Amino acid sequence: MDQIVTLDSRKEAALQTIADKFIALHKGDAVKALKEMIVLNGHLQQRLEARSQPLRAARR
């Protein structure tokens, strides 16, 4: 893990609400929800890296 994120109580409560809804979408299966979130984050990371590739090449 690259970063540790610290949240204030308001942001923590909002994150908890979103997490509860995401788990509910997976019929209460937290492991299934976590696996899907990992896959989604992987796709997003690939898209971010693809967008930043031309920027890195231009800087060299």
Side-chain angles (χ1 to χ4, degrees):
M1 214 172 255
D2 293 46
Q3 287 181 289
I4 295 175
V5 177
T6 304
L7 303 175
D8 62 31
S9 60
R10 184 180 55 82
K11 289 180 181 175
E12 176 66 31
L15 182 60
Q16 184 66 49
T17 299
I18 292 166
D20 290 342
K21 288 178 183 178
F22 195 72
I23 291 170
L25 285 173
H26 293 85
K27 299 178 180 147
D29 188 338
V31 173
K32 186 175 178 183
L34 178 60
K35 288 178 181 178
E36 183 173 338
M37 187 56 63
I38 291 167
V39 170
L40 290 172
N41 284 339
H43 289 289
L44 291 173
Q45 185 63 42
Q46 288 173 349
R47 290 174 63 188
L48 286 170
E49 288 172 0
R51 289 184 140 217
S52 66
Q53 295 263 342
L55 295 175
R56 286 188 198 145
R59 290 182 192 157
R60 291 181 182 173

